[in-house]
Amino acid sequence: MKKLYLPLILFVFLVFEGLAINLLPTEIALSENLIIAHWVLALLVYIAVYYDSRATYYSIIYAFIFGLLVDIIYTGVLGVYMFSYGLVIYIIHNLQKLLQRNFFVLILLGIFSFLMADSFIYLIYYVVGITEMVWQDYLVRRLLPTIVANLVFFIILFPIFKKRIGRWGNEQLNKED
């Protein structure tokens, strides 16, 4: 049963990502800034850091699966989020092997993941011709507000999921050994 916790939580985050803009105050939601919720990515970073061991890749598998689901549900182009989330979580998974597991490193990994994923998504959309927003507008109107909003959510998740995900990972991975 505990094997289903993470996919179910990821699915709930996927559903609520679409409602995230409604949770913001009206002044922020109706401003010219664009805030994109990357709640699934936030939880994937926690999974990569606290659930996976050096030899397991659950976070990367979840990144591809839930990235594809984000593409199917929220976008018109398949594979953009799947590629972005998968690549970013792969990088995070390898970086966390080199770094300590503390709050500040986790925050840096979260900022890095939001920055890279949203930049990859913008770049792909720009090359394909879906968006015509110039880099300077993208940086000020979308990337920075998106990173700040997702970082707030990421920090809120810390006391809720850090120990739980670590405990689930230890229980799950010890059963498989």
Side-chain angles (χ1 to χ4, degrees):
M1 180 65 184
K2 288 186 180 181
K3 288 182 181 183
L4 295 177
Y5 286 168
L6 288 177
L8 286 174
I9 294 169
L10 282 164
F11 185 75
V12 168
F13 279 19
L14 175 71
V15 170
F16 284 113
E17 258 185 23
L19 303 171
I21 196 73
N22 297 333
L23 301 174
L24 294 173
T26 310
E27 301 82 31
I28 296 173
L30 297 178
S31 72
E32 64 181 30
N33 294 328
L34 301 169
I35 297 174
I36 308 300
H38 292 296
W39 293 1
V40 170
L41 182 62
L43 188 58
L44 287 170
V45 171
Y46 278 97
I47 294 169
V49 172
Y50 293 113
Y51 187 86
D52 277 344
S53 68
R54 291 183 186 271
T56 62
Y57 298 95
Y58 290 104
S59 58
I60 298 169
I61 294 167
Y62 288 145
F64 281 114
I65 292 169
F66 284 92
L68 181 62
L69 287 174
V70 169
D71 285 330
I72 291 170
I73 295 171
Y74 296 118
T75 69
V77 181
L78 289 180
V80 176
Y81 277 81
M82 182 180 73
F83 168 75
S84 299
Y85 282 8
L87 180 61
V88 167
I89 293 301
Y90 176 76
I91 293 168
I92 295 293
H93 187 272
N94 288 321
L95 277 177
Q96 67 90 17
K97 293 176 185 177
L98 304 172
L99 303 170
Q100 296 178 2
R101 292 182 182 181
N102 63 42
F103 180 72
F104 299 109
V105 170
L106 184 70
I107 295 300
L108 289 175
L109 290 175
I111 292 170
F112 176 78
S113 67
F114 300 135
L115 174 80
M116 294 305 296
D118 210 66
S119 297
F120 286 150
I121 292 165
Y122 166 76
L123 184 65
I124 292 168
Y125 281 165
Y126 187 77
V127 168
V128 173
I130 293 175
T131 187
E132 296 177 4
M133 185 183 292
V134 295
W135 174 252
Q136 292 83 4
D137 286 343
Y138 166 74
L139 180 66
V140 173
R141 290 184 47 217
R142 179 176 165 172
L143 185 61
L144 293 177
T146 296
I147 289 173
V148 170
N150 284 296
L151 186 60
V152 169
F153 180 75
F154 192 73
I155 292 170
I156 291 170
L157 288 182
F158 184 76
I160 300 169
F161 284 110
K162 181 202 178 258
K163 288 184 181 178
R164 283 188 180 102
I165 289 177
R167 186 175 61 236
W168 294 339
N170 288 336
E171 291 172 3
Q172 184 65 35
L173 299 175
N174 289 336
K175 280 185 182 179
E176 293 178 0
D177 288 341

